[in-house]
């Protein structure tokens, strides 16, 4: 679907989480996705694993023979030479530290800061790509999101949102909470993907429940704040989302882990039934010159809408406990749309449609949403 423009209010809420710049990806408007031109691609050539292997380990062996290093640095580089990913990451961090000119960086490269930064990036890349090191992947995510432009040494690395997301996702898949959060930030800021952002904010927030040992209380709070801000804005713009996107929003709409499996199952049943009815409606419209669409076609549509009604009513009235505001709104809004169609096909549903419409208006008022929000156009798909 077309890129969605989030409202200014939600932007303020999202960016007010204030994660420290040293840890989060607070990309500026000048940070753009790498477009893949030849010049930009060549800037990354030195960070291919095959290239790194040819130069990295012979260089370290030479250093261990020729340089007078401290026992600590000798031990660290010996571990690097042996393929220890933790040692690679530790060395890379020290070389990238502002104080590294007084320690490992000075011992290896003296005043050659350009070489030091390049070597550090190669170490980190090898640990991430060849050794699947989670912290190295998360660090590379931040590096590629921001890029490097060091005036003092002339060392440059163009930012690449594609590469940043690649590494952040790798780290997030293994439970790195901050990486999950940062994927949410990047997919929203650079692609306008509100649904994808909601999913990753949910993942980061719920890590505190599924894997508490991997979660940090502050990051959990940041993720929940961002999730709530994104959810609020999605509700205001849900009429611009596809059926699948809204369906996903419900599944990603809770960050407290309080929704039962039966609710998700009922929701998926409703979405499938609505999609079937929509397809049948489109087929009837295409064939209306060849057959009377008021016969078998409308019966099939009614059957699908009854299935959707039953599933949604179960969510709204039997399994509503633990639902987030977003999930309550979406469930009642879809139920309202489904009943509006059923009432046109069968007058016995008119009273249920009236009551659900009134309930939805109360929910809108409580949540501060006007009629322009939500899926008010969706019922047109079934006419």
């Amino acid at each position: 679907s077309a890129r969605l423009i989030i409202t200014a209010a939600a932007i303020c809420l999202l960016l007010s989480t204030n994660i420290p710049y040293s840890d989060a990806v607070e990309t500026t408007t000048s940070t753009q996705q790498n477009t893949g031109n030849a010049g930009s691609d060549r800037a990354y050539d030195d960070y291919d694993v095959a290239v790194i292997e040819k130069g990295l380990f012979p260089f370290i062996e030479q250093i261990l023979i020729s340089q007078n290093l401290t026992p600590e640095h000798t031990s660290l580089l010996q571990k690097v030479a042996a393929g220890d990913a933790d040692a690679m990451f530790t060395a890379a961090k020290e070389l990238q530290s502002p104080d590294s000119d007084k320690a490992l960086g000075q011992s290896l490269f003296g005043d050659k800061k350009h070489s030091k930064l390049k070597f550090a990036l190669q170490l980190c890349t090898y640990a991430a790509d060849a050794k699947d090191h989670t912290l190295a992947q998360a660090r590379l995510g931040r590096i590629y999101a921001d890029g490097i432009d060091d005036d003092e040494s002339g060392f440059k690395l163009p930012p690449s949102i594609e590469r940043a997301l690649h590494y952040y996702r790798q780290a997030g898949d293994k439970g790195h909470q901050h990486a999950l959060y940062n994927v949410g930030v990047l997919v929203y800021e650079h692609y306008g993907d509100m649904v994808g952002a909601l999913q990753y904010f949910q993942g980061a927030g719920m890590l505190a429940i599924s894997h508490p040992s991997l979660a940090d209380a502050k990051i959990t709070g940041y993720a929940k704040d961002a999730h709530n801000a994104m959810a609020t804005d999605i509700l205001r713009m849900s009429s611009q989302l596809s059926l699948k996107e809204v369906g996903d929003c419900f599944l990603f709409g809770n960050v407290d882990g309080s929704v039962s499996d039966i609710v998700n199952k009922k929701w998926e049943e409703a979405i499938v039934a609505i999609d079937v009815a929509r397809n049948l409606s489109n087929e009837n419209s295409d064939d209306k010159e060849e057959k009377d669409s008021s016969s078998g076609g409308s019966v099939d549509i009614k059957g699908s809408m009854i299935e959707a009604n039953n599933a949604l009513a179960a969510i709204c009235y039997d399994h509503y406990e633990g639902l987030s505001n977003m999930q309550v709104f979406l469930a009642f809004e879809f139920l309202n749309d489904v009943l509006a169609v059923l009432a046109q096909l069968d007058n016995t549903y008119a009273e249920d449609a009236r009551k659900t419409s009134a309930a939805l208006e109360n929910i809108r008022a409580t949540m501060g949403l006007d009629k322009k929000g939500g899926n008010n156009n969706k019922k047109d798909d079934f006419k």
Side-chain angles (χ1 to χ4, degrees), residues 32-84:
Q32 300 294 328
Q33 178 190 7
N34 172 40
T35 58
N37 60 65
S40 295
D41 286 344
R42 283 195 295 272
Y44 308 121
D45 286 349
D46 290 335
Y47 309 104
D48 178 81
V49 168
V51 173
I52 293 172
E53 284 181 334
K54 290 179 180 179
L56 179 68
F57 295 107
F59 172 76
I60 293 174
E61 291 173 1
Q62 180 183 356
I63 289 294
L64 287 171
I65 294 173
S66 62
Q67 296 280 5
N68 292 320
L69 302 174
T70 66
E72 179 184 359
H73 289 159
T74 297
S75 175
L76 179 63
L77 290 180
Q78 285 174 339
K79 291 177 181 178
V80 171
D84 187 318

Side-chain angles (χ1 to χ4, degrees), residues 290-345:
E290 299 180 13
K291 68 178 183 178
D292 181 8
S293 63
S294 65
S295 57
S298 63
V299 174
D300 293 336
I301 292 172
K302 180 181 176 181
S304 294
M305 297 305 274
I306 290 174
E307 291 180 16
N309 173 70
N310 292 341
L312 291 167
I315 294 173
C316 292
Y317 298 111
D318 299 332
H319 303 286
Y320 58 86
E321 293 184 3
L323 296 181
S324 67
N325 287 343
M326 163 180 264
Q327 291 172 318
V328 170
F329 180 86
L330 291 178
F332 269 93
E333 187 180 42
F334 269 55
L335 181 60
N336 180 64
D337 290 347
V338 166
L339 282 169
V341 175
L342 283 174
Q344 294 178 24
L345 299 173

Side-chain angles (χ1 to χ4, degrees), residues 55 63 90 133 146 166 191 224 271 274 276 296 330 370:
I63 289 294
T90 298
H133 193 273
D146 292 342
H166 167 74
Y191 299 102
K224 287 185 175 182
I271 294 298
I274 292 171
V276 168
L330 291 178
D370 56 31

Side-chain angles (χ1 to χ4, degrees), residues 39-198:
S40 295
D41 286 344
R42 283 195 295 272
Y44 308 121
D45 286 349
D46 290 335
Y47 309 104
D48 178 81
V49 168
V51 173
I52 293 172
E53 284 181 334
K54 290 179 180 179
L56 179 68
F57 295 107
F59 172 76
I60 293 174
E61 291 173 1
Q62 180 183 356
I63 289 294
L64 287 171
I65 294 173
S66 62
Q67 296 280 5
N68 292 320
L69 302 174
T70 66
E72 179 184 359
H73 289 159
T74 297
S75 175
L76 179 63
L77 290 180
Q78 285 174 339
K79 291 177 181 178
V80 171
D84 187 318
D86 287 334
M88 293 177 190
F89 179 69
T90 298
K93 277 205 310 180
E94 183 169 342
L95 289 168
Q96 291 170 334
S97 166
D99 297 327
S100 64
D101 59 333
K102 301 176 183 178
L104 181 61
Q106 183 68 26
S107 299
L108 296 180
F109 302 104
D111 296 329
K112 298 177 181 178
K113 187 178 181 183
H114 186 285
S115 299
K116 179 191 73 173
L117 293 175
K118 179 178 178 180
F119 183 68
L121 187 55
Q122 288 182 325
L123 280 173
C124 199
T125 301
Y126 195 85
D129 289 349
K131 300 294 183 177
D132 198 29
H133 193 273
T134 302
L135 295 179
Q137 289 162 347
R139 191 173 188 87
L140 285 175
R142 192 187 77 207
I143 288 172
Y144 279 111
D146 292 342
I148 300 176
D149 188 358
D150 188 78
D151 291 335
E152 180 183 351
S153 66
F155 184 82
K156 297 182 184 296
L157 183 78
S160 169
I161 300 306
E162 182 180 358
R163 287 172 180 260
L165 285 171
H166 167 74
Y167 285 113
Y168 273 142
R169 283 178 172 135
Q170 284 188 328
D173 286 345
K174 295 193 290 293
H176 193 287
Q177 189 182 32
H178 221 154
L180 289 169
Y181 174 88
N182 286 337
V183 172
V185 172
L186 291 182
V187 297
Y188 160 64
E189 288 189 347
H190 293 272
Y191 299 102
D193 184 358
M194 298 165 69
V195 180
L198 189 74

Side-chain angles (χ1 to χ4, degrees), residues 8-20 26 181 185 189 218 221-226 229:
I11 290 176
C12 292
L13 283 170
L14 179 60
L15 297 184
S16 66
T17 50
N18 294 324
I19 294 182
E26 297 180 358
Y181 174 88
V185 172
E189 288 189 347
K218 287 185 177 181
Y222 300 148
K224 287 185 175 182
D225 288 345

